[in-house]
Amino acid sequence: MTNILIVVVVILLLATLVQIVRVSELLSDIKNKDVNEVTDKDNNTQGILFLIVGFGFLIFVVWQMVTWNHLLLPPASSVHGAQIDTLMKISMGLILIVFFVLSPILFYFLYKYRGKKSNKAYFFSHNNKLEVVWTIVPTIILTSLIIFGLKTWDKSMNVDVSESTTIIEVYAQQFNWNARYSGQDNTLGKANFRLVKGSNILGVDMLDASSADDKMSREVHLVIDKPVLLKFRSQDVIHSAFLPHFRVQMNCVPGMTTQFGFTPTKTTAQMKETEGDDFEYILLCNKICGASHYNMQMKFIVETQEEYDVWLDSQENLESKLLTQK
Amino acid sequence: MSEHHKESFITKYVFTMDHKMIAKQFLITGMFMGVVGMLMSAIFRVQLANPGESSILYSLLPGAWLNDAGGLNPDKYLALVTMHGTILVFWVLTAGLSGTFANFLIPLQIGARDMASGFLNMLSYWFFFIATVVLLSSLFVETGPASGGWTIYPPLSALPQAIPGSGTGMTLWLISITLFVVGSLLGGLNYIVTILNLRTIGMTMQRLPLTIWALLITAILGVLSFPVLLSCGLLLIFDRSFGTSFYLSDIIINGEALHNEGGSPILFEHLFWFLGHPEVYIILLPALGIVSEVIAVNSRKPIFGYKAMVGALLLIAFLSFIVWGHHMFMTGMNPFLGSVFTFTTLLIAIPSAVKVFNYLATLWRGNIRFTPAMLFAIGTVSAFITGGLTGIILGDSALDINVHDTYFVVGHFHIVMGLSAIYGMFAGVYHWFPKMYGRMMNKNLGYIHFWGTFICAYGVFFPMHFLGLAGLPRRYYSNSAFPMFDGLSDINELITFFALAGAIVQVFFLFNFFYSIFKGTKSSQNPWKSNTLEWTTPVERIHGNWPGELPVVTRWAYDYSKPGAEEDFILQTEPLKEGEIEH
């Protein structure tokens, strides 16, 4: 029924349009004018419309920035993330300034130079000085942005592993995340996809000596202010590990290992104080991976060393886990 | 020049070799696909605003895979997103835009009777047409059309076990794209040869209208990059059907370990984006060319900084080949490579900025005539400013870490590439419609179309930046699985409202277009008082463009409001007066 209604509405709309066009053409015939000729009156109306709608758009942008500001991600909870935030603020500030200068100029020119039959445009085909200026100015601004950007990038991608770095493997599969802690030796045991079997869902090679003390988990616990190196693997298709609160993202690619190192700076409990009780650090999948892509998540918990030690101790290591379940 | 035989219906409208008719074939096919792609987006926008609610639009879509009771499930959602992207990027903004205007404008604006090879030109359209049929037929396959995203990254696109759309649907997608590439290569080679060899007497490269420069550079980009997509697709076909491991390694799917070892999905991404990034400019440059022409004509002023405009086009085209890695910052490639790609990517902002400044300088002290084409040309400049600026965020690898693959990207490329290009296409259609059909499109409907589109489009795409800055990933069927996104439903509803309104506004265009073909008021020979050669041809379409001798060009295309001239335009064929300096 609704479909029929839609069809009827569309037909009526089309019929109305035909009539509107006919009437306007007849009217202009009476006035002996070409209906599609752009008149001074049209130029006037359109110029004013550009002024109104153009500035309306700029107001809409400001309105969005004010109204939706509280929805944006909170400040970064990691060391490198804070630097990214600074760079973001500078870049955003810069592009907003350019936006709020160029757009009004555009809309104002359209209004100011709206045509009149009696007017003539000013013949002005080029001006080398002007063109050099507006090539060099963006070049300088962009060069400084590039330099600042590359410095931040270098720091973010830096994965110097020291003894205090916790090494954790994050393993992606349709549509789950799993984590593996490297245990006391701080070395992940080797793994191979052909060894995935039964409860050994990550394919860990138990003949490798460093595997025995590894621990598997469905959530990741981290210690505040302690560097962590995440190593990513995927079992099937490309996934992307996205931890927006830490400003961390890295693809998980079958057949290779990728990594991202960072240092968390705020515990989950601290975040709950500012962001509300239901706050959790979340790992999302950010590369299309199939039907449940939109619901592939794992909780991250940042806590104090003591809390972390208690939790880690309660986890079974791989050796006993896999042996008992066999 | 050869004599042209009397044309039958078939040779005039179907298997035609006349570039003007082929252009119309591209345009109407492109418009049809545009409507299909837009309706798809309307369907998934309804889902995003009201998760789980089945819309009425949805039941209108054909195809067996849609008609079961499940409604719009995640698989179908991803299929719609994938097809929407494929259709808009390749069918509408590549074939629909360059196919139409390269075919239509090149011979007319350089003073040639037709393309270098009318036959190849015809083949180019028919390859495209078959590609269209194959792509649409994949909607009717039981397991649905391709659904791994328009970028079809393997292993997802290689394994039917991973997502149903990677079965027959993906096979058809690959066949269709292969045909598409063949068609666009035939077209592209033809455009290049025609522009270089068939310019009329006096039409030096320095006198070419900027539309032709843009179309030439676009064609070169296409010829250099589409073959890479073809080989990329061929290797994927091998992996899918013949058991090779170019892109596959170490995979367990549905509990079964596959034999593939040693391949790399990252190889696919490199090959794909080697086309994929130039593709962005294959879409954008023709629009910028059209806009340059339309703005100059309707400001009644020469385009400001012609040489800088050509230089900027060349520089953008060159840089577009060495920036593909900015789509891959997060793939785990060497961070040093990321630095290089950041550097080259941000450089593109310089020629882009020059173009914007030159457009503004062209408008300055003009005598602006607001035809519907002019409105859309200005829309392009506005979208290019708004969307181009966010590219500075995304091209910066450090910032990309947190906005990569979020709605921030979706907002960015829909504005800078989608809107800029589609506005350019509309500008071209409104501007050259009188040349195409000998009739005018209705002005007032054009005004309504522009303002409706302009307002709705910003209403749709600007808020997406905020979704992205809130961390929302793209290609999510629903964001209800994460409490952190609960606050975003208002934004999503607003976007969907504007999307549906924007879709309805397009009815004004479609109606105006088809009504005017048959009933529009008759056009005069040069309705916009334009300088370029196409307006010296007769209003009635003839095969061969000019009834007598080919025109001889004596000046550039932008002598508008030149001091000393009586009128505010001087045709390119008008000889220089004694003592007159060429611009």
Side-chain angles (χ1 to χ4, degrees):
Chain A
M1 187 59 202
T2 29
N3 286 350
I4 299 170
L5 274 177
I6 288 177
V7 172
V8 171
V9 169
V10 169
I11 291 173
L12 285 176
L13 184 65
L14 287 176
T16 322
L17 286 174
V18 174
Q19 294 311 319
I20 293 173
V21 175
R22 285 240 174 101
V23 168
S24 72
E25 278 169 5
L26 282 175
L27 274 176
S28 66
D29 269 357
I30 295 167
K31 292 182 194 157
N32 206 7
K33 266 196 315 196
D34 180 2
V35 63
N36 291 314
E37 166 117 14
V38 178
T39 60
D40 284 354
K41 204 174 142 215
D42 290 327
N43 285 336
N44 211 21
T45 324
Q46 298 301 316
I48 291 169
L49 269 176
F50 265 113
L51 206 59
I52 296 170
V53 178
F55 281 88
F57 166 52
L58 298 181
I59 293 167
F60 178 52
V61 169
V62 175
W63 176 83
Q64 292 176 61
M65 293 192 322
V66 174
T67 322
W68 296 336
N69 188 46
H70 69 282
L71 296 171
L72 306 189
L73 286 170
S77 305
S78 63
V79 175
H80 80 280
Q83 290 166 339
I84 290 181
D85 284 3
T86 311
L87 178 63
M88 187 68 155
K89 271 187 201 134
I90 293 171
S91 307
M92 269 295 179
L94 202 79
I95 67 172
L96 282 172
I97 290 171
V98 178
F99 174 74
F100 280 108
V101 170
L102 288 185
S103 301
I105 291 180
L106 173 69
F107 298 130
Y108 176 71
F109 277 7
L110 296 169
Y111 166 74
K112 167 93 182 160
Y113 301 111
R114 63 194 190 280
K116 261 195 205 142
K117 287 260 159 17
S118 53
N119 284 3
K120 198 163 183 187
Y122 169 59
F123 188 87
F124 183 52
S125 66
H126 68 109
N127 179 318
N128 293 345
K129 220 182 258 171
L130 213 55
E131 287 172 72
V132 168
V133 170
W134 65 47
T135 310
I136 288 180
V137 172
T139 309
I140 294 170
I141 296 174
L142 282 163
T143 312
S144 32
L145 266 187
I146 290 172
I147 292 170
F148 192 9
L150 290 184
K151 278 194 173 157
T152 315
W153 171 246
D154 270 355
K155 283 180 198 150
S156 307
M157 288 289 127
N158 182 6
V159 280
D160 281 346
V161 180
S162 68
E163 282 192 4
S164 64
T165 310
T166 317
I167 296 177
I168 304 168
E169 177 179 72
V170 173
Y171 188 76
Q173 65 189 117
Q174 284 183 334
F175 300 97
N176 274 313
W177 297 99
N178 278 288
R180 176 161 63 120
Y181 280 75
S182 49
Q184 272 142 0
D185 60 359
N186 207 17
T187 312
L188 288 163
K190 288 195 184 108
N192 187 314
F193 80 111
R194 297 207 182 277
L195 299 174
V196 172
K197 206 176 205 178
S199 51
N200 188 3
I201 50 174
L202 306 186
V204 179
D205 182 357
M206 293 313 289
L207 297 174
D208 182 356
S210 15
S211 303
D213 63 346
D214 290 0
K215 291 180 173 185
M216 259 167 52
S217 164
R218 295 301 304 273
E219 58 186 36
V220 173
H221 289 241
L222 303 174
V223 181
I224 182 170
D225 294 331
K226 196 174 165 195
V228 53
L229 179 66
L230 299 179
K231 287 182 164 284
F232 304 100
R233 283 197 299 138
S234 166
Q235 173 177 299
D236 34 46
V237 300
I238 301 177
H239 302 272
S240 186
F242 183 33
L243 290 155
H245 300 103
F246 299 114
R247 315 295 187 251
V248 167
Q249 178 161 204
M250 185 50 68
N251 288 3
C252 312
V253 185
M256 66 189 264
T257 307
T258 53
Q259 56 186 15
F260 203 114
F262 66 101
T263 308
T265 52
K266 286 174 201 156
T267 63
T268 302
Q270 284 170 333
M271 289 300 280
K272 280 183 195 286
E273 280 168 26
T274 54
E275 300 300 315
D277 275 343
D278 52 355
F279 177 86
E280 293 291 348
Y281 289 119
I282 289 285
L283 169 69
L284 308 93
C285 180
N286 198 15
K287 187 63 79 186
I288 180 171
C289 66
S292 293
H293 170 54
Y294 72 101
N295 187 15
M296 182 168 158
Q297 50 180 302
M298 178 161 69
K299 211 198 292 187
F300 269 54
I301 294 157
V302 182
E303 54 203 2
T304 59
Q305 184 75 48
E306 298 80 55
E307 291 166 324
Y308 174 80
D309 290 341
V310 171
W311 174 79
L312 196 63
D313 281 345
S314 70
Q315 301 295 307
E316 218 176 346
N317 67 28
L318 269 189
E319 188 169 38
S320 59
K321 188 171 189 172
L322 293 183
L323 286 178
T324 50
Q325 287 182 358
K326 231 167 209 175
Chain B
M1 205 51 217
S2 64
E3 277 192 26
H4 290 286
H5 299 284
K6 208 161 185 249
E7 296 162 309
S8 69
F9 180 82
I10 297 274
T11 58
K12 186 172 175 189
Y13 293 109
V14 186
F15 294 107
T16 174
M17 292 199 232
D18 180 2
H19 70 101
K20 300 186 288 300
M21 193 54 80
I22 294 175
K24 291 179 204 172
Q25 292 175 330
F26 269 108
L27 178 60
I28 289 176
T29 316
M31 277 168 56
F32 173 74
M33 290 304 270
V35 171
V36 174
M38 188 182 67
L39 286 178
M40 287 176 166
S41 68
I43 295 169
F44 61 70
R45 272 317 320 176
V46 171
Q47 152 68 19
L48 289 170
N50 312 294
E53 249 175 62
S54 194
S55 76
I56 305 162
L57 278 170
Y58 168 72
S59 61
L60 291 174
L61 257 198
W65 62 285
L66 277 171
N67 288 338
D68 55 42
L72 186 71
N73 64 26
D75 280 331
K76 290 167 189 168
Y77 172 83
L78 292 177
L80 283 177
V81 174
T82 304
M83 294 308 275
H84 168 80
T86 308
I87 288 175
L88 266 294
V89 168
F90 292 112
W91 266 258
V92 181
L93 295 177
T94 304
L97 180 57
S98 315
T100 304
F101 291 102
N103 271 304
F104 193 74
L105 294 178
I106 289 173
L108 282 172
Q109 288 200 329
I110 67 171
R113 300 220 181 262
D114 206 316
M115 283 288 175
S117 167
F119 181 71
L120 285 187
N121 211 18
M122 179 182 83
L123 272 188
S124 145
Y125 174 74
W126 286 103
F127 268 105
F128 169 61
F129 182 80
I130 300 169
T132 310
V133 173
V134 174
L135 188 80
L136 289 179
S137 70
S138 78
L139 290 173
F140 299 87
V141 173
E142 195 185 352
T143 48
S147 34
W150 79 274
T151 51
I152 57 153
Y153 284 179
L156 186 62
S157 62
L159 307 171
Q161 307 94 307
I163 193 165
S166 292
T168 322
M170 190 65 217
T171 306
L172 290 170
W173 193 98
L174 285 164
I175 294 171
S176 167
I177 281 290
T178 306
L179 293 165
F180 181 92
V181 172
V182 173
S184 78
L185 285 177
L186 291 174
L189 285 170
N190 221 343
Y191 307 152
I192 297 171
V193 172
T194 308
I195 294 173
L196 294 182
N197 289 322
L198 294 187
R199 279 168 290 129
T200 186
I201 298 167
M203 182 59 91
T204 58
M205 294 304 272
Q206 290 85 7
R207 285 181 185 155
L208 280 182
L210 283 171
T211 31
I212 303 299
W213 266 111
L215 291 166
L216 171 67
I217 295 167
T218 304
I220 295 173
L221 285 181
V223 167
L224 292 179
S225 62
F226 267 117
V228 180
L229 176 67
L230 193 61
S231 45
C232 167
L234 278 180
L235 297 186
L236 184 57
I237 292 174
F238 285 163
D239 273 6
R240 287 168 53 82
S241 308
F242 308 128
T244 56
S245 307
F246 291 107
Y247 306 136
L248 306 178
S249 187
D250 298 20
I251 292 167
I252 301 173
I253 192 102
N254 284 355
E256 180 204 355
L258 303 184
H259 70 274
N260 309 76
E261 273 184 60
S264 165
I266 305 301
L267 169 65
F268 176 91
E269 294 187 29
H270 279 295
L271 290 173
F272 181 87
W273 287 114
F274 190 83
L275 157 92
H277 201 79
E279 171 66 21
V280 170
Y281 292 95
I282 290 174
I283 287 172
L284 189 60
L285 294 187
L288 293 181
I290 290 170
V291 165
S292 306
E293 176 70 18
V294 171
I295 285 188
V297 173
N298 291 300
S299 304
R300 314 307 295 161
K301 273 187 70 186
I303 190 82
F304 183 81
Y306 174 86
K307 280 185 186 155
M309 292 300 251
V310 174
L313 285 176
L314 286 169
L315 195 60
I316 290 175
F318 169 73
L319 287 173
S320 78
F321 274 105
I322 49 172
V323 297
W324 79 89
H326 68 225
H327 298 272
M328 301 168 58
F329 287 142
M330 298 303 123
T331 54
M333 69 180 183
N334 190 319
F336 175 71
L337 259 182
S339 311
V340 176
F341 283 120
T342 298
F343 177 70
T344 52
T345 302
L346 293 189
L347 285 186
I348 291 197
I350 299 167
S352 309
V354 169
K355 287 198 86 76
V356 169
F357 293 138
N358 284 7
Y359 286 135
L360 291 177
T362 308
L363 293 169
W364 179 70
R365 291 184 68 183
N367 189 22
I368 301 169
R369 179 180 61 192
F370 290 108
T371 62
M374 182 62 172
L375 297 184
F376 276 103
I378 289 157
T380 299
V381 177
S382 172
F384 194 57
I385 295 173
T386 313
L389 284 169
T390 47
I392 292 176
I393 306 283
L394 288 161
D396 196 331
S397 49
L399 298 178
D400 189 53
I401 293 174
N402 226 51
V403 282
H404 188 89
D405 266 342
T406 64
Y407 268 88
F408 194 86
V409 181
V410 181
H412 162 73
F413 74 74
H414 273 97
I415 293 178
V416 75
M417 178 177 91
L419 290 187
S420 295
I422 203 89
Y423 287 167
M425 188 165 164
F426 281 133
V429 172
Y430 280 108
H431 192 75
W432 282 290
F433 189 88
K435 195 74 253 159
M436 289 182 179
Y437 294 101
R439 291 172 187 271
M440 308 290 285
M441 282 178 85
N442 184 280
K443 177 187 70 183
N444 291 322
L445 289 181
Y447 287 159
I448 298 173
H449 175 220
F450 171 75
W451 288 109
T453 309
F454 187 75
I455 293 169
C456 292
Y458 272 140
V460 171
F461 299 118
F462 207 92
M464 287 188 181
H465 296 112
F466 293 88
L467 296 178
L469 292 175
L472 182 63
R474 66 195 282 204
R475 291 168 177 155
Y476 268 23
Y477 166 69
S478 145
N479 53 29
S480 54
F482 295 90
M484 67 181 277
F485 299 135
D486 283 349
L488 302 180
S489 53
D490 286 352
I491 305 185
N492 265 326
E493 280 166 29
L494 185 77
I495 293 175
T496 300
F497 166 77
F498 277 118
L500 296 179
I504 292 167
V505 169
Q506 303 315 308
V507 174
F508 287 91
F509 171 72
L510 292 172
F511 168 79
N512 196 356
F513 185 87
F514 289 107
Y515 178 86
S516 303
I517 290 180
F518 303 104
K519 299 269 176 153
T521 51
K522 289 255 163 61
S523 157
S524 58
Q525 193 187 18
N526 189 358
W528 315 124
K529 298 189 174 143
S530 188
N531 290 345
T532 38
L533 291 182
E534 73 270 29
W535 304 106
T536 61
T537 61
V539 179
E540 290 294 314
R541 181 194 86 96
I542 53 166
H543 200 161
N545 296 342
W546 284 269
E549 295 283 302
L550 285 177
V552 175
V553 170
T554 50
R555 59 175 76 230
W556 74 333
Y558 298 104
D559 273 342
Y560 292 103
S561 304
K562 197 169 188 182
E566 271 167 45
E567 295 253 28
D568 63 354
F569 71 107
I570 311 173
L571 283 173
Q572 276 190 282
T573 49
E574 190 100 347
L576 288 178
K577 274 187 261 172
E578 217 167 302
E580 187 185 352
I581 333 162
E582 202 179 348
H583 59 280

